[in-house]
Amino acid sequence: MKHFIYKTTHKNGKYYIGRHSTTDIDDGYLGSGRWVSQIKDKSTLSREILEYADTEQSLILLEEKYLTDHHGKPECMNMSNKGTGWATGGANPMNNPDTKEKMSGENHWLSKNPERKEDFRK
């Protein structure tokens, strides 16, 4: 099994950092985070391997190091600065002001919900 930290980058410069363990380095995995998942045209994404780890435990620690360095940068689309992520028990990223700001943009899928518009709610 090979363990590595990867960076998936969109052609617009925004990126996602994650960890992956696989027997096939060329398995096409780009990430399972919300940002990666909502991009319909995956051909606009590229993945680069940033660093390898010997064990899954060292991989988790390595991911946390990378997320600490990158989370909060405008082009970093990770919703949490924790390596375990929200889905596996990390803190709810919606309590983070950076996450709320990223998700409030007019091009984000949540902004298309009419209930989020003040005039609709009135």
Side-chain angles (χ1 to χ4, degrees):
M1 186 73 70
K2 298 200 179 358
H3 311 284
F4 58 87
I5 300 298
Y6 65 89
K7 179 179 177 183
T8 295
T9 305
H10 189 274
K11 66 181 183 178
N12 66 12
K14 294 185 178 185
Y15 63 88
Y16 175 85
I17 292 178
R19 69 177 187 252
H20 187 51
S21 296
T22 184
T23 56
D24 178 10
I25 294 288
D26 297 318
D27 61 6
Y29 185 78
L30 295 170
S32 60
R34 287 185 184 181
W35 177 74
V36 173
S37 298
Q38 73 187 35
I39 294 175
K40 300 210 184 324
D41 183 2
K42 301 294 190 226
S43 71
T44 61
L45 299 173
S46 62
R47 182 189 79 186
E48 88 183 89
I49 295 174
L50 300 176
E51 193 168 343
Y52 289 92
D54 293 328
T55 66
E56 193 170 346
Q57 185 60 35
S58 62
L59 180 66
I60 291 169
L61 296 173
L62 198 55
E63 182 185 31
E64 287 187 10
K65 174 188 157 290
Y66 274 92
L67 291 176
T68 298
D69 292 345
H70 289 268
H71 186 260
K73 293 182 178 180
E75 52 283 329
C76 179
M77 301 310 292
N78 290 75
M79 299 224 181
S80 172
N81 64 347
K82 298 294 179 196
T84 56
W86 185 21
T88 57
N92 182 337
M94 292 311 295
N95 294 331
N96 182 320
D98 291 336
T99 300
K100 288 181 181 179
E101 183 178 331
K102 285 179 185 177
M103 295 182 77
S104 66
E106 65 182 39
N107 291 327
H108 192 275
W109 62 271
L110 279 177
S111 68
K112 297 180 183 1
N113 180 348
E115 293 177 5
R116 292 182 53 91
K117 299 194 182 340
E118 189 173 335
D119 58 336
F120 179 86
R121 289 191 303 255
K122 288 179 183 177

